[in-house]
Amino acid sequence: MPEINRLDSTNADFGARLDALLDRLPERDSQVQSVVADIIADVRVRGDAAVLEYTRRFDRLDATSLEALEIPRERLKAAWDGLPTALREALSTAHRRIRDYAERQGLQGFSFIDAHGNELGQRVTAMDRVGLYAPGGKAAYPSSVLMNAVPAKVAGVRELVMCVPTPDGIVNETVLAAIHLSGVDRVFTIGGAQAVAAMACGTQTIAQVDKIVGPGNAYVAEAKRQVFGMVGIDSIAGPSEIVVICDGQTDPRWTAMDLFSQAEHDEEAQSILISPDAAYLDAVQAAMDERLAELPRAGIVRASLRARGALILVRDLSEAVGVSNHIAPEHLELSVADPDALLDEVRHAGAVFLGRHTPEAFGDYCAGPNHVLPTSRAARYANPLGVYEFQKRSSLIRCSPEGARALAPIASRLADAEGLQAHAASARDRR
Amino acid sequence: MPEINRLDSTNADFGARLDALLDRLPERDSQVQSVVADIIADVRVRGDAAVLEYTRRFDRLDATSLEALEIPRERLKAAWDGLPTALREALSTAHRRIRDYAERQGLQGFSFIDAHGNELGQRVTAMDRVGLYAPGGKAAYPSSVLMNAVPAKVAGVRELVMCVPTPDGIVNETVLAAIHLSGVDRVFTIGGAQAVAAMACGTQTIAQVDKIVGPGNAYVAEAKRQVFGMVGIDSIAGPSEIVVICDGQTDPRWTAMDLFSQAEHDEEAQSILISPDAAYLDAVQAAMDERLAELPRAGIVRASLRARGALILVRDLSEAVGVSNHIAPEHLELSVADPDALLDEVRHAGAVFLGRHTPEAFGDYCAGPNHVLPTSRAARYANPLGVYEFQKRSSLIRCSPEGARALAPIASRLADAEGLQAHAASARDRR
């Protein structure tokens, strides 16, 4: 049977053991930090030339101009046309469902008039230009292209620029097809910190963007951290996580495979099952043994389960939710007869999958909600990626002459108390 | 007359001169970075003891326990009761108006059923615990306490913890009164990186928070950057900025004082007037000369205007908005006869003040919208502080058995294309 941690909430050391399993503060490698800082500084000064040089060095692509690294729209369309029909239809359906969900997410402005005739409001506008990063190589996922691009399109962003590295010129046709489907405006085959720097600072060929989103390796993540402030960024994704809460009545084979579907991502991924039914935990562990044989990535799954996986026995389902709230997982499956009863108690989770017929994998591809979700306990304070991440609000204030006379003495009194006399005088001018 | 940069959009070097005035990428002092990293690491390991030690060293407060540095509620109430009546009333009115505005800002969830009977939704919950930072000393502003605490309260955050340093034991009574009014749950007289670290990591006395908001000095800002990922943070505030677009018909004395009201914050603050009327720019500069005499902080105002202020002549009001969109200012006054005509073209601004009777100072204190706004061009992608910054969304997915059968082949096909066989198998289990 695969090794996996077994915890029991009635044990005195339960809290400590759980926290030890969860503890993985993002470590920042000072070597990576300084390499990235140098690349950003260089791209900022030398622009295209620096990007070309790093692309030559890291991706072994020898281009004489950044334009030569842009993928023409016809090439994207050709990739789309070349896909097997079944795959093209699956991508189309996923795209439509992601868009349908996103269309309900847009922010709304408002406006109201106070008792003095002043108008107060909030206005929503889309960003002008957004940069999408898509990893190359083995982590090149067409589903990520859809999940990052579709909400930006729905938000009304005027221009989407994408960077996707193609080391040694190797391209992923399904990724190109997904880019075509998403309606991205410009695509460059550059990657790493140099791609992030180019989008954040702007170069001769790539205009500065307002925000950069999308997953990447340690260099990309560090580059996003360092350019934050020049541009907005999405959250820095940690390893993927799932918590399954089960009442013991779901087919243990299903639960085993749901846990595997996180564990197969990488050795750092985390799969946790919580149940008040000890026999069920045993049954799932037995089912794991059996179903591992189905998986080409069994080695990764075993390593992930051994290092970070857990089967947790609790007193009851309410305690299970309490444990999950502490974990604040990226994905939470409520694999129980009455998920609504538990949902009321759920405080923190990136996405909640209700009932036994809702595996997390649906959310990764085609249910509709975004698969970019807060990890590493960030569901305590952060949001799934969504349309709202590509819009921003402006406050609106419009005073009538009478309304200004009502506000002037309040503002000037508070400004005087803070020693800001120009504020006070500016307010009093409208008395 | 006070020195101030004069720019003309018809000059060939206009773009370069404007960008030179705007350019102020946040510089990160490596000395500050390493001091802060050490403090955070120390507080993380030693908790209360470390916080007490730094508070002794930096604020010269000698306490034997962190409990001794907590301000009792009675002390806050006494500060409130001790305020002059007029100031108490001004604070109360400001509080009520900020709350009334915030109450319209809360996020809304949604839910819908797809063609297959699957439910897809978005659920909104408040954060559990939020940490507010308020600076001590000369930058101690009661208005900041209201602006940070009120939206968190309206969001339904369960516990608000506040840290406000009191170097040498000196407290600001108006700040304490504002804390009382805001309904903050616990207040500690600690500050700097050690206060941020205590809230981010948790100590024996201070529970870990989910998000930290509020302004502070360079050490506080760097500490917030470094703990991001353990907790959420608000944006890192740069110097304050205002752009006034005027058609030349507003009393130049008013406009002069509106520009001063940013310039008086500090030498780094930025005040920019844009108008198509050259004579008006001259008139405002003359009015500045006259009105500087009203200001105790005239030295700061002069330095700010000389280094970072500008009077910009443009061809017409539409070009004025274009220049403003490039600046993406924190505050934008549309001091014109028909502000709505210009508002349609405004793409980026933290807050927009419509018409001649709406000085920015109203927004700082009592209009209702939050005065914590994106600076340094961040209005391109960031929001004013608001209720939504203390809430977060979870995606909801609930599949019916039939609905699961419809999604299973799509998800499994895409998962197979990505080489993630456990995902594919987990989806196929629900066929």
Side-chain angles (χ1 to χ4, degrees):
Chain A
M1 288 207 287
E3 259 184 80
I4 185 165
N5 301 283
R6 298 284 298 244
L7 278 67
D8 182 332
S9 71
T10 62
N11 286 352
D13 65 349
F14 172 68
R17 281 195 65 200
L18 179 61
D19 280 340
L21 269 177
L22 301 176
D23 195 23
R24 55 173 165 201
L25 271 185
E27 275 174 44
R28 296 182 59 187
D29 182 323
S30 62
Q31 165 79 16
V32 172
Q33 285 180 44
S34 85
V35 168
V36 166
D38 289 346
I39 292 175
I40 294 171
D42 194 16
V43 170
R44 209 167 158 216
V45 173
R46 294 198 300 131
D48 283 359
V51 175
L52 285 170
E53 206 172 289
Y54 292 114
T55 303
R56 197 170 298 129
R57 190 189 311 168
F58 298 132
D59 292 343
R60 296 158 299 281
L61 290 192
D62 205 4
T64 51
S65 74
L66 214 46
E67 281 92 351
L69 294 178
E70 184 167 359
I71 307 182
R73 289 190 184 213
E74 305 74 52
R75 176 67 184 85
L76 302 174
K77 174 132 194 334
W80 174 252
D81 291 337
L83 282 195
T85 307
L87 186 52
R88 209 162 51 207
E89 281 173 3
L91 274 176
S92 282
T93 305
H95 178 263
R96 180 174 47 74
R97 296 184 60 91
I98 296 164
R99 196 192 54 212
D100 287 352
Y101 183 87
E103 279 170 352
R104 297 168 198 251
Q105 279 191 321
L107 300 177
Q108 300 296 326
F110 63 79
S111 166
F112 65 101
I113 309 285
D114 74 6
H116 309 292
N118 299 310
E119 182 187 349
L120 304 163
Q122 190 171 275
R123 183 166 172 257
V124 174
T125 45
M127 292 175 199
D128 282 347
R129 192 180 293 113
V130 164
L132 308 173
Y133 189 90
K138 65 169 182 167
Y141 292 141
S143 60
S144 285
V145 173
L146 299 186
M147 293 292 182
N148 281 278
V150 171
K153 290 293 283 188
V154 171
V157 172
R158 293 181 172 186
E159 187 177 11
L160 292 192
V161 181
M162 184 163 233
C163 291
V164 51
T166 57
D168 300 306
I170 295 164
V171 299
N172 179 316
E173 293 293 322
T174 319
V175 165
L176 295 196
I179 296 173
H180 167 80
L181 180 61
S182 305
V184 173
D185 296 288
R186 300 189 72 181
V187 189
F188 295 90
T189 57
I190 59 175
Q194 59 274 20
V196 173
M199 295 191 284
C201 309
T203 71
Q204 295 83 345
T205 304
I206 299 181
Q208 184 190 38
V209 303
D210 300 316
K211 185 166 185 167
I212 298 175
V213 302
N217 65 16
Y219 290 88
V220 170
E222 176 61 26
K224 282 167 63 182
R225 270 196 205 93
Q226 291 191 20
V227 300
F228 177 61
M230 282 193 261
V231 296
I233 60 167
D234 60 354
S235 56
I236 307 289
S240 196
E241 313 148 357
I242 191 171
V243 166
V244 179
I245 294 178
C246 187
D247 56 11
Q249 301 303 309
T250 305
D251 185 335
R253 292 168 44 86
W254 290 13
T255 301
M257 195 54 77
D258 291 1
L259 296 170
F260 288 170
S261 76
Q262 290 309 300
E264 77 173 335
H265 275 294
D266 54 66
E267 290 83 351
E268 290 284 297
Q270 184 154 56
S271 301
I272 294 176
L273 169 63
I274 313 177
S275 176
D277 182 340
Y280 185 72
L281 297 179
D282 293 337
V284 170
Q285 196 167 2
M288 282 179 165
D289 196 37
E290 179 191 337
R291 299 204 71 182
L292 256 183
E294 297 176 36
L295 298 183
R297 295 164 76 93
I300 293 172
V301 170
R302 279 182 193 279
S304 159
L305 294 177
R306 186 168 50 238
R308 314 217 50 235
L311 305 178
I312 302 180
L313 182 66
V314 288
R315 294 175 183 84
D316 52 38
L317 289 173
S318 180
E319 186 179 33
V321 176
V323 171
S324 174
N325 282 339
H326 179 70
I327 298 170
E330 183 188 12
H331 306 102
L332 172 62
E333 284 188 12
L334 299 179
S335 193
V336 297
D338 181 9
D340 291 295
L342 295 189
L343 183 60
D344 287 341
E345 300 173 49
V346 172
R347 303 269 315 152
H348 315 295
V352 188
F353 300 81
L354 299 152
R356 313 187 202 286
H357 286 83
T358 318
E360 187 276 327
F362 287 176
D364 280 344
Y365 291 107
C366 61
N370 209 287
H371 80 192
V372 181
L373 296 166
T375 57
S376 308
R377 304 193 69 219
R380 284 151 50 232
Y381 56 84
N383 291 297
L385 189 64
V387 172
Y388 41 79
E389 298 280 350
F390 300 103
Q391 300 176 308
K392 68 274 190 322
R393 304 163 177 95
S394 298
S395 307
L396 298 183
I397 308 174
R398 181 202 312 264
C399 292
S400 63
E402 307 70 40
R405 274 193 288 276
L407 295 185
I410 305 161
S412 60
R413 187 161 291 135
L414 293 170
D416 278 331
E418 293 185 354
L420 294 174
Q421 286 84 1
H423 286 69
S426 166
R428 272 194 304 266
D429 280 349
R430 271 74 174 193
R431 266 183 318 196
Chain B
M1 287 210 287
E3 259 185 80
I4 185 165
N5 302 284
R6 297 284 298 245
L7 278 68
D8 182 331
S9 70
T10 61
N11 286 352
D13 65 349
F14 172 67
R17 282 195 66 200
L18 179 62
D19 281 339
L21 269 177
L22 300 176
D23 195 23
R24 54 170 169 202
L25 272 186
E27 277 173 42
R28 297 182 60 186
D29 181 324
S30 63
Q31 165 78 17
V32 171
Q33 286 181 44
S34 84
V35 168
V36 166
D38 290 347
I39 292 174
I40 293 171
D42 193 16
V43 169
R44 205 162 162 224
V45 173
R46 294 199 300 132
D48 282 1
V51 175
L52 285 170
E53 207 171 288
Y54 292 115
T55 304
R56 198 170 298 129
R57 191 190 310 169
F58 298 132
D59 291 343
R60 296 158 300 282
L61 290 191
D62 204 6
T64 52
S65 73
L66 214 47
E67 282 93 349
L69 294 178
E70 184 167 358
I71 307 182
R73 292 191 182 211
E74 305 74 50
R75 176 67 185 84
L76 301 173
K77 173 131 194 335
W80 174 253
D81 291 338
L83 283 195
T85 307
L87 185 53
R88 210 161 52 208
E89 282 173 3
L91 275 175
S92 282
T93 304
H95 178 265
R96 180 174 47 74
R97 294 183 62 93
I98 296 164
R99 196 191 55 212
D100 287 352
Y101 183 86
E103 279 171 352
R104 295 167 200 252
Q105 279 190 321
L107 301 177
Q108 299 295 326
F110 64 79
S111 167
F112 65 100
I113 309 285
D114 74 7
H116 308 291
N118 299 310
E119 181 187 350
L120 304 163
Q122 189 171 276
R123 184 167 172 258
V124 175
T125 46
M127 293 176 198
D128 281 347
R129 192 180 292 113
V130 163
L132 310 172
Y133 189 89
K138 65 170 181 168
Y141 291 142
S143 59
S144 286
V145 172
L146 299 186
M147 292 293 182
N148 281 279
V150 170
K153 289 293 283 187
V154 171
V157 172
R158 292 181 173 186
E159 188 177 11
L160 291 191
V161 181
M162 182 165 234
C163 291
V164 50
T166 56
D168 300 308
I170 294 165
V171 299
N172 180 315
E173 292 293 321
T174 319
V175 166
L176 296 196
I179 296 172
H180 168 80
L181 180 62
S182 305
V184 173
D185 296 288
R186 300 189 73 181
V187 188
F188 294 89
T189 57
I190 60 176
Q194 59 274 20
V196 173
M199 294 191 286
C201 309
T203 71
Q204 295 84 346
T205 304
I206 298 181
Q208 184 189 36
V209 303
D210 300 315
K211 184 165 186 168
I212 298 176
V213 302
N217 64 19
Y219 291 88
V220 170
E222 177 60 28
K224 282 166 64 180
R225 271 196 203 93
Q226 292 190 19
V227 299
F228 177 61
M230 281 193 261
V231 296
I233 61 167
D234 59 356
S235 56
I236 307 289
S240 196
E241 314 147 354
I242 190 170
V243 166
V244 179
I245 294 177
C246 187
D247 56 11
Q249 301 303 309
T250 305
D251 185 335
R253 293 169 43 88
W254 289 14
T255 301
M257 194 56 76
D258 290 1
L259 295 169
F260 289 171
S261 76
Q262 290 309 302
E264 76 173 336
H265 276 293
D266 53 66
E267 290 83 351
E268 290 284 298
Q270 185 154 54
S271 301
I272 295 176
L273 169 63
I274 312 178
S275 178
D277 182 340
Y280 185 71
L281 297 178
D282 294 336
V284 170
Q285 197 167 0
M288 283 180 164
D289 196 37
E290 181 193 336
R291 299 204 72 182
L292 257 183
E294 297 175 35
L295 298 183
R297 296 165 75 95
I300 294 171
V301 170
R302 279 182 193 279
S304 159
L305 294 177
R306 185 169 51 238
R308 313 216 52 234
L311 305 179
I312 302 180
L313 182 66
V314 288
R315 293 174 184 85
D316 53 37
L317 288 174
S318 181
E319 185 179 34
V321 176
V323 172
S324 174
N325 282 339
H326 178 70
I327 297 171
E330 182 188 12
H331 306 102
L332 172 61
E333 284 187 13
L334 299 179
S335 193
V336 297
D338 182 9
D340 291 294
L342 296 190
L343 182 61
D344 288 340
E345 300 174 49
V346 172
R347 303 268 318 152
H348 315 294
V352 187
F353 301 81
L354 299 152
R356 314 186 203 287
H357 286 84
T358 317
E360 186 276 326
F362 287 176
D364 280 343
Y365 292 108
C366 61
N370 210 288
H371 79 193
V372 181
L373 296 165
T375 58
S376 308
R377 305 192 67 220
R380 285 152 49 232
Y381 57 86
N383 290 297
L385 189 64
V387 172
Y388 41 78
E389 298 281 350
F390 300 104
Q391 299 176 307
K392 66 270 187 330
R393 304 163 176 93
S394 298
S395 306
L396 297 184
I397 308 175
R398 181 202 312 264
C399 291
S400 63
E402 305 72 39
R405 275 192 289 275
L407 295 185
I410 305 161
S412 60
R413 187 161 291 136
L414 293 169
D416 278 332
E418 293 186 354
L420 295 174
Q421 287 84 1
H423 286 70
S426 166
R428 273 195 303 267
D429 280 348
R430 270 75 174 192
R431 268 185 313 197

